[in-house]
Amino acid sequence: MGSFLRSEEMVLCEVFVQPEAAYSTVAELGESGILQFRDMNDELNAFQRRFIAEVKTANEIERKLCFMESEIAKEGILSQNLEELPKAPNSKEISKLEAHLEKTEGDLKEACRSLTVLTSNFVELSELKHVLEKTQELFAEQENSPNFNEARALNEEDQGAANTSRSQLNFIAGVIPRERIPGFEKMLWRISKGNIFLRQTDIEEAIVDPKTGNEMKKNVFVAFFQGDQLKLRIKKVCSGFRASIYQCPRKTEERIEVVKGVQTRIADLTLVLSQTKDLKHRLLMEIASKHQGWMVQAKKLKAIYHTLNMFNVDVTNKCFIGQCWVPKIFLQQVKDILATKSKDSGSSVPSFLSVITTSEVPPTYHRTNKFTKAFQIVINAYGMASYRELNPALYSTITFPFLFGVMFGDCGHGLILTLFAAWMVIYEKKLAKSGGGEIWNIFFGGRYLILLMGIFSIYTGLIYNDAFSKSFNIFGSSWKSPYNSTTLLKNPQLTLDPAFEESYAQYPYPFGFDPVWQLAPANKIIFQNSFKMKLSIIIGVLHMIFGVCLSVGNHIYYEKKINIILQFIPQVLFLTLLFLYMVVLMVLKWVLYNAASPIISSTRCAPSVLITFINMMMFKAMEYDKENCSPTMYPYQEEIQMVLVLVALLCIPFLLLGKPLYILCTRSSMKKHVRLEGRGSAGCAGKGDGKGKGPSGDG
């Protein structure tokens, strides 16, 4: 708990590592996670570092693994989760891993390339089969069309002198994506001025795009035309609209023969394609079983060489020198790691560590466990505490879930939250091994935080007597109606006056809200929201005062006691004289005024705390328009409030100008002191030089 109250004490160390033990030493230090290295080569760019070749190798390994991961994702294969993370590979394992990944990538690329080619051939044959089958229907419809016969008759009259081959219409058949049909038709009409007859029909089954793997809807088209110039134009339009053109025989018998040949080729290709898919799937399954481990090793390898690039090399090139921040409690552990790795590498000169003195502000390091880690992450999201400053995460372990419960306040939803968090806590070892994605990791990491939030939500839900917007009637209501049933039925707007003794049982409800408030549609929301708002203000003000009081510990620890006078005291006075006083007024109003009390202290005479606070800040006299009612809650209230506001206003100049003026005066006095010291030493030096006396001459 001591380390969680404040961050760990850090020391700056200089590490001297032998080259043959550098890799293994940094790898073991990285696994421990107990130190932070500093970059000693700021003046060098990434390409001037010593281990740039090794970093490129690690990047290449990571690139190969990313390619494999993308192929695994396309197949929908789940990677095998790791029970424990593997350590960084040693120098011998790096070359083996690189060679194995290069071979695996080559096999996978070859399988993907073969599969793409086979799929492309299969798609082309499938489209050709559809073209041959659909053109028979289109030819039959076109030849029976009256427009086609009229156009052919007119064409024969205009070119009666031409031979038979020129009078016969040509055609181009192919396949085009269905969404491009409207534009395709318009473009053919424009380039031919209406001299092209286009017929198209849908392909019922979806066709897979060999490049993307997505399914596409396509149509078969046949364009009838005459002339070689028009043929070239149609081919250009087909190319622009990404339409595939296929050779289609004119005669029916020839088309039937071609269809039979295409079907035979499709059957053979389907068999080969199935075997290729099975080969790729087996290869990906083998990769998926080891992919996560390889990726962890690649990232660790890359991190090790990035860290080694932060080291400096001595003039003899026989030692790596690095600087790092180490928590003081882990110094011996770091020394043991250096000694062990140096011994394992067989180096004649051992690696060692030395602590150096520095005036730099160390980084902040908090030791956390599985319970406190989530709270520390929440605090760090708002701001990192300064070095050795009081850690707000310690207090947020209770305040954060409690304030959530005050805001949430529902037993039913809190119970669901508690059960969900308790399930994660009970089976945390089993669930830690399951990779559920980023969202799941967030929930699982904050399981203890969610558990406390659920428990406090149940507690405040019991106080609010609210469970899924329903109330519990455990103790029975403390309110009773003084009217009989006939009066209640005849008067639906009848008001229950709390001033009558018959309206209540002379005792408060034992715990939380009285369930009878559920039957008060007119003022239920007004009462509950007023209570929750006042409760939130009270807790918020106390929370702010507590946070300001914690700053005293930091001022004393950093030996800046002047901040207590210039910051803490004005802040506390400002908060207590204004906002804590408002809380006191709320409590006084609850205590002093009662419905059954005399007129002057009855609830109808209770002044508004909000109006009282506004009049207090504006130095306005309090007025009350009700008879026999006092505008104040206690004697000399207006005078006391005026004194409180004046003192609070006097705190504002201290808060705004106290610390800047103190820093300005301190700097001026320091500069003056330095100038006086300079003049004194110069005079002594001159005196000693001239007369042989003084500090210089006597020496």
Side-chain angles (χ1 to χ4, degrees):
M1 186 59 70
S3 63
F4 196 54
L5 177 64
R6 294 184 184 274
S7 61
E8 293 287 348
E9 290 189 43
M10 307 289 287
V11 292
L12 183 62
C13 300
E14 204 163 32
V15 182
F16 297 86
V17 185
Q18 303 307 313
E20 56 270 17
Y23 178 87
S24 59
T25 301
V26 173
E28 187 64 27
L29 292 174
E31 294 288 347
S32 64
I34 56 177
L35 73 170
Q36 178 184 354
F37 283 99
R38 300 175 62 188
D39 192 359
M40 301 182 66
N41 300 309
D42 290 333
E43 70 282 357
L44 301 179
N45 58 38
F47 298 98
Q48 294 174 334
R49 306 279 176 139
R50 184 181 184 89
F51 296 97
I52 182 62
E54 288 78 2
V55 172
K56 289 181 178 179
T57 301
N59 286 333
E60 184 65 18
I61 292 175
E62 193 173 6
R63 182 198 62 79
K64 294 175 182 177
L65 292 173
C66 289
F67 166 70
M68 297 176 189
E69 185 179 7
S70 64
E71 293 297 326
I72 291 172
K74 289 179 183 178
E75 286 289 322
I77 301 174
L78 297 178
S79 298
Q80 184 176 352
N81 296 319
L82 300 174
E83 296 184 359
E84 59 180 73
L85 298 179
K87 292 189 175 182
N90 55 41
S91 55
K92 295 181 180 179
E93 293 175 347
I94 294 174
S95 56
K96 292 181 180 179
L97 177 62
E98 185 180 4
H100 181 65
L101 290 178
E102 185 175 359
K103 181 180 180 301
T104 305
E105 184 193 25
D107 295 342
L108 183 58
K109 283 186 175 180
E110 184 63 29
C112 293
R113 191 181 303 110
S114 301
L115 189 60
T116 303
V117 173
L118 292 173
T119 305
S120 179
N121 294 338
F122 180 80
V123 169
E124 290 180 1
L125 291 175
S126 300
E127 291 180 351
L128 177 58
K129 185 188 73 169
H130 288 297
V131 168
L132 294 172
E133 292 175 351
K134 298 293 183 180
T135 48
Q136 182 64 30
E137 302 173 6
L138 295 175
F139 281 158
E141 294 176 2
Q142 190 65 36
E143 290 173 357
N144 296 329
S145 175
N147 294 331
F148 178 82
N149 294 330
E150 291 177 6
R152 183 169 184 176
L154 292 173
N155 184 59
E156 290 176 354
E157 290 178 4
D158 294 339
Q159 299 182 359
N163 54 26
T164 305
S165 62
R166 293 191 59 186
S167 64
Q168 187 177 12
L169 289 176
N170 296 326
F171 70 91
I172 290 179
V175 177
I176 187 172
R178 189 169 298 172
E179 66 272 7
R180 299 180 182 270
I181 285 292
F184 185 64
E185 289 181 347
K186 291 180 182 180
M187 185 59 68
L188 291 180
W189 177 269
R190 290 175 181 175
I191 66 171
S192 65
K193 298 180 180 179
N195 291 325
I196 294 178
F197 296 93
L198 180 68
R199 305 294 292 175
Q200 54 91 17
T201 183
D202 296 344
I203 299 177
E204 291 78 9
E205 63 182 29
I207 297 177
V208 179
D209 188 352
K211 294 183 179 179
T212 61
N214 299 327
E215 293 185 349
M216 300 177 63
K217 297 291 185 180
K218 292 189 176 183
N219 284 23
V220 173
F221 71 89
V222 179
F224 297 94
F225 62 92
Q226 187 178 23
D228 294 337
Q229 293 294 330
L230 206 54
K231 181 178 181 180
L232 294 175
R233 294 181 183 179
I234 294 173
K235 287 186 176 181
K236 290 182 180 179
V237 172
C238 291
S239 176
F241 281 84
R242 296 181 182 177
S244 302
I245 300 175
Y246 295 96
Q247 295 295 330
C248 181
R250 184 178 297 274
K251 295 181 180 181
T252 303
E253 296 80 4
E254 295 179 358
R255 284 198 294 271
I256 294 174
E257 291 295 330
V258 175
V259 167
K260 292 180 180 179
V262 169
Q263 290 177 344
T264 303
R265 292 172 60 190
I266 288 177
D268 297 338
L269 192 58
T270 302
L271 180 61
V272 177
L273 192 60
S274 176
Q275 294 176 350
T276 306
K277 286 182 178 179
D278 291 340
L279 176 63
K280 180 183 176 183
H281 185 76
R282 289 196 301 270
L283 183 60
L284 289 176
M285 287 293 293
E286 183 182 354
I287 294 173
S289 63
K290 303 177 181 178
H291 181 269
Q292 290 292 339
W294 288 340
M295 183 62 77
V296 171
Q297 286 184 320
K299 290 184 179 296
K300 288 185 176 181
L301 177 65
K302 188 176 178 180
I304 290 170
Y305 283 117
H306 271 300
T307 305
L308 286 174
N309 279 330
M310 297 181 183
F311 280 65
N312 205 345
V313 184
D314 68 340
V315 292
T316 60
N317 289 329
K318 293 182 179 180
C319 182
F320 290 158
I321 305 172
Q323 289 184 356
C324 58
W325 291 103
V326 184
K328 186 177 289 186
I329 60 172
F330 295 138
L331 270 177
Q332 187 58 43
Q333 184 177 349
V334 175
K335 292 179 181 178
D336 293 341
I337 292 174
L338 292 174
T340 302
K341 293 302 175 181
S342 178
K343 182 179 179 181
D344 294 343
S345 65
S347 176
S348 57
V349 181
S351 303
F352 62 94
L353 174 144
S354 63
V355 179
I356 58 178
T357 305
T358 179
S359 60
E360 296 183 28
V361 179
T364 302
Y365 172 71
H366 294 286
R367 275 192 299 165
T368 58
N369 52 35
K370 61 182 180 180
F371 176 77
T372 60
K373 184 177 181 180
F375 297 95
Q376 190 65 55
I377 290 174
V378 172
I379 295 300
N380 293 343
Y382 288 94
M384 181 68 70
S386 300
Y387 175 68
R388 297 295 291 168
E389 188 179 28
L390 286 174
N391 186 14
L394 174 63
Y395 315 99
S396 68
T397 53
I398 294 299
T399 59
F400 184 86
F402 175 72
L403 293 177
F404 174 84
V406 172
M407 176 189 68
F408 206 58
D410 190 296
C411 289
H413 293 89
L415 180 62
I416 295 174
L417 206 62
T418 303
L419 292 176
F420 173 64
W423 170 71
M424 290 191 293
V425 170
I426 294 171
Y427 298 100
E428 62 181 9
K429 293 183 179 179
K430 181 179 179 181
L431 296 174
K433 300 177 183 178
S434 63
E438 184 178 358
I439 301 299
W440 164 254
N441 291 335
I442 293 174
F443 280 111
F444 184 73
R447 56 194 181 278
Y448 291 98
L449 173 61
I450 298 174
L451 179 63
L452 291 179
M453 288 162 57
I455 293 173
F456 279 112
S457 296
I458 295 175
Y459 171 71
T460 53
L462 291 174
I463 292 179
Y464 299 156
N465 203 351
D466 187 6
F468 300 117
S469 297
K470 298 294 181 181
S471 295
F472 298 107
N473 191 7
I474 302 174
F475 305 101
S477 177
S478 296
W479 291 89
K480 295 180 181 179
S481 175
Y483 307 105
N484 55 32
S485 301
T486 305
T487 306
L488 292 174
L489 292 174
K490 290 183 179 180
N491 300 278
Q493 300 297 327
L494 192 63
T495 302
L496 187 65
D497 192 349
F500 295 148
E501 293 185 1
E502 295 84 358
S503 301
Y504 56 92
Q506 298 293 338
Y507 64 88
Y509 194 69
F511 185 80
F513 280 6
D514 195 311
V516 77
W517 281 107
Q518 288 289 340
L519 304 177
N523 60 342
K524 168 191 170 183
I525 300 298
I526 296 174
F527 168 73
Q528 290 187 351
N529 286 354
S530 176
F531 173 80
K532 293 176 182 178
M533 182 190 71
K534 290 181 174 65
L535 185 64
S536 300
I537 292 173
I538 292 172
I539 295 175
V541 170
L542 295 178
H543 199 191
M544 287 191 295
I545 294 175
F546 174 71
V548 173
C549 291
L550 287 180
S551 64
V552 178
N554 292 327
H555 298 327
I556 295 175
Y557 180 82
Y558 291 122
E559 297 181 356
K560 296 180 179 179
K561 297 182 180 180
I562 189 65
N563 290 344
I564 298 177
I565 300 174
L566 299 178
Q567 291 183 354
F568 170 71
I569 294 177
Q571 288 174 353
V572 169
L573 284 176
F574 188 83
L575 282 173
T576 53
L577 296 180
L578 296 182
F579 299 102
L580 186 61
Y581 177 74
M582 181 174 61
V583 172
V584 172
L585 291 179
M586 293 180 188
V587 177
L588 285 176
K589 184 176 179 180
W590 289 338
V591 173
L592 297 178
Y593 296 92
N594 189 2
S597 299
I599 295 177
I600 193 171
S601 60
S602 65
T603 53
R604 61 182 295 270
C605 288
S608 171
V609 175
L610 179 61
I611 300 300
T612 302
F613 188 74
I614 292 174
N615 292 335
M616 169 184 167
M617 297 302 298
M618 298 180 65
F619 297 101
K620 185 178 179 181
M622 292 182 288
E623 299 178 358
Y624 215 56
D625 55 355
K626 295 182 180 180
E627 297 181 359
N628 301 323
C629 293
S630 173
T632 60
M633 297 183 186
Y634 58 89
Y636 305 105
Q637 180 178 347
E638 294 185 354
E639 292 78 5
I640 292 175
Q641 289 180 168
M642 185 176 295
V643 173
L644 296 180
V645 174
L646 291 175
V647 175
L649 291 176
L650 289 175
C651 293
I652 296 177
F654 278 91
L655 290 173
L656 297 177
L657 303 176
K659 189 68 178 292
L661 291 176
Y662 172 76
I663 294 174
L664 185 63
C665 295
T666 304
R667 289 179 178 177
S668 300
S669 61
M670 288 179 63
K671 289 181 180 179
K672 185 177 180 181
H673 181 68
V674 169
R675 285 198 299 269
L676 289 175
E677 284 186 349
R679 290 177 182 176
S681 60
C684 292
K687 186 176 180 180
D689 290 340
K691 298 183 180 180
K693 298 180 181 179
S696 299
D698 294 341

